[in-house]
Amino acid sequence: MKISDIYGNKKTVFSLEVFPPKKTDSVEAIYSTLDGLKNISPDFISVTYGAGGNVADVKTRSIAEIIKKEYNIESMAHLTCVSTSEKDAELILKDFSYHGIENILALRGDINPERPPKKDFCYASDLASYIKRKGYFDVGGACYPEGHTEAASIDEDIVNLKKKVDAGVSFLISQLFFDNDFFFAFSDKVRKAGIDVPVSAGIMPVTNKKQIERMVTMCGASIPQDLAKILSKYADDPDSLTEAGIEYAWRQIESLIRGGVRGIHLYTMNNPVIAIKIYHGIKDLL
Ligand code: FAD
């Protein structure tokens, strides 16, 4: 099923994101994650893709196929283009369609200074229009409530986002954020820019101080004061931090849903226990 049709049929779409097992692990390692996640009935599960052509890339399609065929849950494969030639993309898309993958999150990927980008696709919008020309797939894109780290301003980033939507992206999934004010302000700007595709809010429950600090450094998300207090209060008490982090995510999601968000996309970090707890706290709102 095309993910656009899911947005068309539901007030609030609930999706999850998993990543392929590490290089040394086999694809089978994903089963323990998926066995846990299947009971919370997500509308779709997306599978991340390596930016640099590593083993994870091969696993992305296999896992998206397992989700769809063995768990009967719609899936979406992420695809990055920074290190992908048009020839490679053609083969990857053939492989995706052959294995029944209908939905792709078209991404540029992060630029690795040690690996010069291939020249066929400069931006995610170039990949999105290439995929749309193939005619088979529904294509989503990433968006950034606080602006992408390379963009000079949020306004400039939204001008570029409009190009991505005009290239054929039919829904957007946001970068993680912890302060809903950024998301609501971003949503207003997006609508004013004439972008009318559904936008899901990316939520990452805070359960590990180091992990969150790493993510925040990578993606530039702001930590609001109430979350900073939680992080410092429970710095040495991981169980209490997990509990407080789940409660924080519940409050964040509840306010987003009340504010009319079209979807919640949960970054599960392959931890079904946390995802299940989050789901049970919000399921009546979905
Ligand atoms: P783009 O949309 O191409 O934007 C990148 C930058 O270029 C932005 O600053 C934008 O403003 C600018 N820009 C875009 N178009 C133009 C234009 N036409 N002219 C001038 N400037 C332009 N990374 C992975 O490696 N694997 C994953 O699976 C993955 N999944 C992700 C899922 C989500 C929901 C999100 C939010 C991010 C994900 N990422 C993933 C990270 C992503 O690859 C990086 O954030 C990357 O730096 C940007 O990718 P993009 O697709 O947003 O790029």
Side-chain angles (χ1 to χ4, degrees):
M1 186 180 198
K2 301 281 193 281
I3 287 175
S4 305
D5 293 332
I6 304 179
Y7 282 105
N9 293 333
K10 282 200 75 177
K11 182 174 74 69
T12 315
V13 170
F14 177 61
S15 56
L16 306 175
E17 180 168 311
V18 299
F19 53 81
K22 288 192 209 86
K23 279 183 192 174
T24 43
D25 294 340
S26 76
V27 166
E28 272 65 38
I30 200 71
Y31 279 104
S32 57
T33 301
L34 297 176
D35 281 346
L37 298 178
K38 69 174 186 229
N39 296 324
I40 61 175
S41 320
D43 291 306
F44 69 90
I45 300 181
S46 81
V47 189
T48 65
Y49 191 90
N54 56 33
V55 181
D57 305 354
V58 184
K59 291 177 177 173
T60 298
R61 187 268 296 153
S62 310
I63 294 168
E65 187 183 12
I66 289 170
I67 292 167
K68 195 171 163 102
K69 296 191 177 155
E70 296 183 34
Y71 290 85
N72 288 315
I73 297 170
E74 194 44 72
S75 67
M76 172 166 75
H78 297 200
L79 179 59
T80 56
C81 61
V82 66
S83 304
T84 307
S85 66
E86 201 173 300
K87 218 168 149 199
D88 292 341
E90 179 159 21
L91 292 175
I92 292 167
L93 295 184
K94 271 194 183 140
D95 180 61
F96 280 6
S97 63
Y98 180 78
H99 290 92
I101 308 305
E102 292 178 69
N103 303 290
I104 300 178
L105 191 71
L107 297 152
R108 185 198 67 182
D110 286 326
I111 309 270
N112 179 344
E114 285 163 27
R115 192 190 285 240
K118 297 221 167 121
K119 302 260 174 354
D120 291 358
F121 305 103
C122 291
Y123 300 109
S125 52
D126 301 325
L127 179 65
S129 63
Y130 179 80
I131 300 172
K132 281 315 280 184
R133 284 204 299 279
K134 297 288 168 193
Y136 174 75
F137 300 99
D138 198 4
V139 181
C143 65
Y144 302 84
E146 299 182 57
H148 184 260
T149 46
E150 289 165 34
S153 68
I154 183 85
D155 292 333
E156 181 191 287
D157 203 29
I158 290 176
V159 167
N160 294 328
L161 186 62
K162 174 84 165 71
K163 293 179 195 160
K164 190 151 64 175
V165 172
D166 290 344
V169 159
S170 55
F171 58 94
L172 294 165
I173 302 200
S174 94
Q175 181 62 279
L176 63 94
F177 59 92
F178 301 106
D179 184 341
N180 287 357
D181 287 348
F182 283 110
F183 186 83
F184 289 130
F186 169 77
S187 300
D188 279 352
K189 281 177 183 273
V190 159
R191 299 298 160 223
K192 284 185 185 138
I195 297 170
D196 57 4
V197 298
V199 181
S200 278
I203 299 294
M204 179 177 282
V206 174
T207 57
N208 177 314
K209 191 165 184 269
K210 279 214 176 95
Q211 183 187 57
I212 286 300
E213 284 167 351
R214 204 176 55 240
M215 296 303 295
V216 164
T217 310
M218 266 168 60
C219 74
S222 312
I223 304 251
Q225 262 192 350
D226 45 351
L227 182 57
K229 272 189 201 151
I230 291 173
L231 288 172
S232 77
K233 185 171 176 190
Y234 300 120
D236 302 317
D237 181 354
D239 290 345
S240 300
L241 177 61
T242 300
E243 217 171 290
I246 288 171
E247 278 174 22
Y248 188 90
W250 282 337
R251 284 198 299 278
Q252 219 192 331
I253 294 170
E254 186 181 345
S255 129
L256 287 164
I257 293 178
R258 293 200 194 288
V261 74
R262 290 303 324 281
I264 298 294
H265 185 72
L266 202 61
Y267 294 102
T268 69
M269 305 308 288
N270 288 15
N271 185 334
V273 177
I274 304 291
I276 290 165
K277 282 194 178 154
I278 298 282
Y279 172 74
H280 284 294
I282 58 153
K283 66 178 192 306
D284 295 337
L285 300 169
L286 291 170

